[in-house]
């Protein structure tokens, strides 16, 4: 390969390295933001559960009907993130035959049809800034479905978490903490109005927590993927630099040899001319 072609390859690698570095920095910044949000969200869940306990919310037994939401990645460059979810679905579908499936994330939904022909696609989420809006859209679909079952259907969410995939049941309500000591809080709404609103808020908070966890680990996967890409580019750059210097040295050697040959020919010609004189 010529020096010109090698220089062009090196320029291309430098451009790719800048893009990968920018994507890595974005993933790192998103991770820092999500770490803070996950901590706050865990506290929010405890507050809502305590409010339900103080309102003497009851727990219903499952009716056999189940809803599952699978949270996938909307963006790429995160390795086998969606692949892990897809691999878990056949067993879940077999263990929960009476299930209505929902999925978020365009990239996940594109590969889901062969496994779950009847699933419903929900809007995906690109970043922490979009999380609250995305969950509101999910809630507009999931809450009416659940409430029409009389509150007995089970609603699960499948998402990535700290130690792999997490299967979490959000409804019916989980085990509630003990009511706060003292008198019951003053309420202006009857239980028939208040409790459904608190349950809907619990579902919103639970979905938001699951989405934050999913985004957190999606960006961890993306950061690792970008680091591997950067390492590969650095290795390729070093290899091409060595090839460039070898080729450049060969070109210089060739030029010197050509120059020396020309000088030898010129010297021979001059010697011949002097001999004729």
């Amino acid at each position: 390969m010529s020096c010109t072609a090698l220089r062009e390859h090196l320029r291309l690698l430098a451009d790719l390295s800048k893009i990968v570095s920018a994507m890595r920095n974005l993933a790192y910044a998103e991770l820092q933001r999500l770490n803070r949000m996950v901590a706050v969200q865990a506290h929010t869940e405890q507050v809502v559960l305590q409010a339900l306990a103080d309102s003497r919310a009851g727990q219903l037994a499952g009716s056999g009907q189940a809803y599952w939401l699978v949270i996938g990645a909307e963006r790429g460059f995160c390795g086998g993130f969606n692949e892990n979810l897809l691999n878990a679905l056949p067993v879940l579908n077999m263990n929960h035959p009476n299930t209505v499936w929902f999925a978020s994330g365009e990239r996940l939904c594109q590969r889901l049809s062969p496994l779950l022909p009847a699933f419903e696609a929900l809007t995906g989420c690109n970043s922490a800034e979009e999380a609250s809006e995305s969950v509101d859209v999910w809630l507009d679909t999931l809450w009416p479905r659940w409430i029409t079952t009389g509150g007995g259907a089970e609603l699960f969410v499948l998402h990535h978490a700290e130690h792999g995939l997490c299967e979490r049941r959000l409804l019916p309500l989980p085990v509630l903490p003990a009511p706060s000591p003292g008198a019951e809080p003053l309420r202006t709404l009857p239980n028939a109005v208040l409790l459904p609103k608190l349950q809907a808020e619990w579902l919103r908070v639970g979905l938001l927590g699951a989405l934050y966890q999913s985004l957190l680990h999606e960006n961890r996967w993306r950061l690792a993927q970008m680091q591997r890409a950067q390492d590969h580019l650095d290795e390729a750059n070093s290899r091409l630099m060595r090839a460039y210097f070898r080729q450049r040295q060969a070109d210089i050697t060739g030029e010197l040899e050509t120059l020396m040959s020309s000088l030898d020919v010129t010297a021979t010609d001059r010697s011949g001319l002097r001999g004729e004189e």
Side-chain angles (χ1 to χ4, degrees):
M1 189 179 294
S2 68
C3 284
T4 301
L6 286 168
R7 278 198 300 269
E8 182 62 25
H9 276 281
L10 287 168
R11 186 193 63 78
L12 177 61
L13 284 179
D15 291 342
L16 290 174
S17 183
K18 290 178 183 178
I19 294 171
V20 169
S21 179
M23 294 178 68
R24 185 179 57 189
N25 291 338
L26 286 173
Y28 180 77
E30 186 77 354
L31 269 178
Q32 302 309 306
R33 187 181 301 114
L34 284 162
N35 275 320
R36 294 191 296 270
M37 289 179 167
V38 166
V40 172
Q41 192 65 23
H43 175 70
T44 304
E45 288 187 10
Q46 295 306 312
V47 171
V48 175
L49 287 175
Q50 189 62 57
L52 283 161
D54 292 343
S55 299
R56 306 304 192 265
Q59 294 173 284
L60 298 175
S63 63
Q65 174 68 56
Y67 298 101
W68 276 83
L69 169 62
V70 185
I71 302 178
E74 181 77 0
R75 298 160 56 198
F77 299 106
C78 51
F81 189 88
N82 287 330
E83 191 72 31
N84 283 359
L85 294 167
L86 291 169
N87 291 339
L89 287 178
V91 174
L92 283 176
N93 195 30
M94 182 175 61
N95 293 339
H96 301 270
N98 190 23
T99 295
V100 178
W101 291 93
F102 300 88
S104 75
E106 182 179 358
R107 290 177 180 272
L108 175 66
C109 292
Q110 288 173 350
R111 303 176 58 189
L112 203 54
S113 296
L115 294 174
L116 302 173
F119 80 96
E120 296 185 37
L122 300 181
T123 182
C125 182
N126 284 296
S127 65
E129 293 180 350
E130 299 178 4
S132 183
E133 182 179 348
S134 296
V135 167
D136 286 340
V137 174
W138 298 354
L139 202 61
D140 289 341
T141 298
L142 296 173
W143 177 250
R145 295 285 191 91
W146 184 79
I147 204 68
T148 54
T149 67
E154 294 180 297
L155 196 154
F156 295 86
V157 60
L158 175 67
H159 62 92
H160 278 274
E162 185 67 33
H163 302 292
L165 295 182
C166 176
E167 304 169 14
R168 187 183 184 191
R169 193 187 83 165
L170 296 178
L171 291 173
L173 294 174
V175 177
L176 298 176
S180 302
E184 290 188 23
L186 180 64
R187 292 175 292 183
T188 59
L189 294 175
N191 277 347
V193 176
L194 177 62
L195 291 181
K197 290 183 178 295
L198 284 175
Q199 288 176 321
E201 182 60 22
W202 160 250
L203 179 57
R204 183 183 185 281
V205 168
L207 290 172
L208 194 56
L211 180 54
Y212 281 154
Q213 286 281 348
S214 179
L215 288 170
L216 177 70
H217 294 281
E218 176 187 334
N219 279 279
R220 285 183 180 174
W221 283 57
R222 184 169 293 112
L223 189 62
Q225 189 87 342
M226 291 300 101
Q227 186 59 56
R228 287 192 291 271
Q230 186 64 59
D231 292 343
H232 175 74
L233 289 172
D234 290 343
E235 181 183 347
N237 184 75
S238 298
R239 187 170 61 252
L240 282 176
M241 285 294 291
R242 290 193 297 270
Y244 173 78
F245 287 128
R246 284 195 302 270
Q247 185 61 45
R248 181 59 181 153
Q249 185 62 48
D251 290 347
I252 291 173
T253 301
E255 290 171 4
L256 289 173
E257 289 175 348
T258 301
L259 178 60
M260 294 302 294
S261 298
S262 298
L263 290 173
D264 289 342
V265 170
T266 302
T268 302
D269 291 344
R270 288 178 178 175
S271 298
L273 289 174
R274 284 197 296 270
E276 291 176 1
E277 292 174 357

